[in-house]
Structures are given as structure tokens and as C-alpha cells.
Amino acid sequence: MPRVIITVTDQTPQPYRFQLDRQAVKMGRGSDNDIAINCGSISVHHAVMERIPGGYQIRDLESTNGTKLDGNRMPIVTLRDGITVKLGDVSFDFSLTDEEKEALAREKPPTESKIIAEEPVKEPAKKPERELVREPLRKSVAPQAVLASANPAHTFLAFIVFVILAALAFYIGLSVRHQKETHQTLLKSMSEKGKPETPAIPVTPPSE
């Protein structure tokens, strides 16, 4: 049976023993605790000793003066054979027999380091290398193909504009050449040529 000794200053140490199947032992200044501790540094409900797989732990119940291990205040302390924990100013000594240590050792799950050692180290899977995809070179499009793919309406309009510009250029060249030769503009010559000729009226000389 696990042995707990509670030592209050200037008082006789009080030993307690519990069965291994005891799940929780409450400690504090209140009379409703499993271990009532008569000391001003102890809260009414100070801490609880709990059974865990492979052993025990002591958990602080948000007490005023705390639960300490080696002078450090801790919320939970795992208990081992021969450990001394401070509840406020009160010493809490915990001990186990050899038979109890063997029984608790059989309950402990394999340690994390042992599990890691037994499992083979898996190498990370290699990511498949990305294949280099070469894009085919774009061939230059022949002008005929561009014209063929153009909108027929746009092609016809371009042709009309071309014909008009060609006719205008031809007219300008012809007008310049005509003016050099006749000293008249082509338009004037064309307008005069279109007018009907006025027949000549014979003049009869007066009779004597």
C-alpha cells in the first residue's frame, strides 16, 4: 500500500496508507477531505492525489499557497518513490514498497523513446520530378492565310478605298499634265468641251 506522511511544523508526522486501487485522495484544511490538515498555509480544498496508469500524481486545486516541488510551484506533480512535495508549508512524503513499484511498472505503457527505437525510420517519399514540357514553336502565318481569315466585309471595304485612292491619284496626275500642256485646268477644259458651240451669224453688209 502506498505510504504518505504528512508533516506539519511543530506537530507529530501523520502517516497514511492506501490501497493501489484507490483512485483519489483529497487533502485540505476542511473536514470533508480524506486527509484533513490542520495548518493555516493549507487551503480548505488544497490538492488531490490521483491514481494514473503506472503510478500516482498530485494535482493542485488552485490553492492559495500552492503545491511545490523543489521550491517551484506546480499545478501537477508526478509522484515517485521517496519524493517530497510541499503543500503550503506542510511536507508531503510519498513512498512505495518494492512489490508496489513492480506492480505499477507493469501498468506503464512503453516509453516514447522505446517506441521510436523499435519503429524503422521511414524515409520521406520522393516527389516525382516534374517533366520538362517543351512547347512547339509557333510558325509564322503567311500573309495569304491572314487575308483569307479576315472578315469579307472588311476586305471589300479596303478594296473600294484602294480603288478610290487610285482613281484620285490618276486624276491628279492627268490634271497636272493637262494644265502644263494647255495652261487650263482639266475641269475647265471638260466644262467648255461640254457646252454646245454657238453658230456664227453671217453679217450682211448694208446695201448702197
Side-chain angles (χ1 to χ4, degrees), residues 88-202:
D89 297 331
V90 176
S91 296
F92 174 96
D93 298 306
F94 181 82
S95 60
L96 297 167
T97 64
D98 293 339
E99 292 78 7
E100 289 168 345
K101 286 187 283 186
E102 290 178 4
L104 294 175
R106 288 193 293 269
E107 296 178 4
K108 291 183 180 179
T111 61
E112 185 176 347
S113 59
K114 187 175 181 181
I115 294 174
I116 294 174
E118 290 176 354
E119 291 183 355
V121 178
K122 295 181 181 180
E123 295 183 359
K126 293 182 179 179
K127 295 182 179 180
E129 296 182 358
R130 187 176 296 176
E131 295 181 358
L132 179 62
V133 179
R134 295 184 180 179
E135 295 182 357
L137 296 175
R138 295 181 179 179
K139 296 181 179 180
S140 59
V141 182
Q144 293 83 356
V146 175
L147 290 175
S149 62
N151 193 330
H154 294 171
T155 305
F156 178 73
L157 183 61
F159 176 73
I160 294 298
V161 173
F162 174 75
V163 171
I164 293 173
L165 291 176
L168 185 60
F170 176 75
Y171 171 76
I172 292 172
L174 187 61
S175 179
V176 171
R177 182 178 178 184
H178 179 76
Q179 188 172 3
K180 284 183 180 180
E181 292 177 354
T182 63
H183 301 285
Q184 271 189 329
T185 62
L186 182 60
L187 269 176
K188 188 175 182 181
S189 297
M190 290 176 67
S191 62
E192 289 180 355
K193 189 175 180 180
K195 290 180 181 180
E197 293 183 0
T198 306
I201 303 174

Side-chain angles (χ1 to χ4, degrees), residues 26-35 42-48 59-64 67:
K26 295 178 182 179
M27 295 168 286
R29 199 172 67 251
S31 59
D32 57 336
N33 290 283
D34 298 309
I35 299 178
I42 298 294
S43 298
V44 175
H45 299 104
H46 196 101
V48 57
R59 178 167 56 88
D60 188 80
L61 299 177
E62 299 182 359
S63 62
T64 302
T67 300

